[in-house]
Amino acid sequence: MASGALAVHDLSVSYGKAVQALRRVTLEVPEGAVTAVLGANGAGKTTLLRAISGTLSFHRGSVDEGTITLGDRPLNGLRPAAVVAAGVVQVPEGRRVFGRLSVEENLKAGALGAPDRSGTATSRERVLELFPVLAERAKQRAGLLSGGEQQMLAIGRALMARPKVLLLDEPTLGLAPLMAERISETIIEINRQGTSVLLIEQNAALALELATTAHVLEVGAVTLHGDAAELADSDEVRRRYLGMTHEDDAVRLERPPTLEKWTA
Ligand code: ATP
């Protein structure tokens, strides 16, 4: 295992000891990589993120077996703030921001999770470079931003904690294609700057475009995993998750796919 890798090994999770949501899930986010987890509604994607971020107990869920580690450090059983302090930060689903606070105050709140105060100004600069609109709206209440801008703020707030690994739960869900494209480009840039990413997505085309490796979750278990480009080219994934076959290529080649097409 790489030194800073986030590794989930044989993880089983249940809710209220009745619903088994994950069954012996194993996956890794190598240092510097983007790993995607794909799956339909109810497959267990959000549960996986809750287990990693230490928030399962808020939903009456618990880890029944397995381990979660960042490098050599076990994350199982840590409180959410300790997971953040260890360097693993989740952007919550549904682009939740503090609606009554200003953009600036939301970013300050994110910085509370940083390992120390000394890098706050640099993190802020980095976030505003990634999302210039947040600088323009610094004093505005976050609740008044558009959906896409709130997603940018949610990602920006998470980056203020200076994560080693960013956990993203369907970051483009419900966004217009152009905004989804901008968010996707920013995820690539965040990763290029050195942050590893665990990307949870229902949109298989988008996830396979952004990720290095991918895992398919079905009813709580990993049924397929591998190199994202190879999965995107496999007949089974194309048929079941991308809604296309190799015969469709003849048509597609006339118009090369754009990111907008992937996210539409
Ligand atoms: P979606 O894309 O719809 O959010 P998902 O892949 O994220 O789906 P989860 O939300 O992780 O799936 O749900 C996995 C399973 O666990 C489902 O059967 C779901 O009904 C169940 N589940 C999720 N949260 C709870 C909870 N708090 N209590 C009981 N069961 C739950």
Side-chain angles (χ1 to χ4, degrees), residues 97-116:
V97 293
F98 301 121
R100 287 169 173 275
L101 298 185
S102 70
V103 167
E104 186 71 53
E105 288 163 340
N106 267 273
L107 294 180
K108 273 192 190 145
L112 296 175
D116 55 66

Side-chain angles (χ1 to χ4, degrees), residues 124-238:
R124 188 174 171 280
E125 248 169 60
R126 177 190 180 201
V127 167
L128 298 182
E129 247 170 52
L130 286 167
F131 303 114
V133 71
L134 297 183
E136 291 162 26
R137 305 282 163 89
K139 301 276 178 274
Q140 195 169 326
R141 269 169 57 171
L144 299 175
L145 300 178
S146 73
E149 289 163 352
Q150 288 188 8
Q151 181 62 278
M152 291 177 183
L153 181 56
I155 296 174
R157 193 179 59 190
L159 290 176
M160 291 298 290
R162 303 213 296 279
K164 295 181 184 127
V165 185
L166 192 63
L167 310 176
L168 291 171
D169 195 352
E170 308 215 34
T172 64
L173 187 70
L175 298 181
L178 199 62
M179 184 58 84
E181 186 177 342
R182 282 182 60 193
I183 297 284
S184 306
E185 283 165 359
T186 313
I187 294 169
I188 293 169
E189 178 58 21
I190 290 168
N191 175 247
R192 203 191 56 75
Q193 292 177 1
T195 309
S196 315
V197 177
L198 178 60
L199 173 67
I200 300 297
E201 264 299 339
Q202 257 190 66
N203 181 337
L206 173 71
L208 294 172
E209 178 103 350
L210 294 181
T212 327
T213 53
H215 301 255
V216 176
L217 259 187
E218 284 183 55
V219 207
V222 174
T223 51
L224 271 177
H225 66 98
D227 180 86
E230 281 173 22
L231 283 178
D233 198 42
S234 86
D235 281 329
E236 188 178 356
V237 170
R238 290 165 69 86

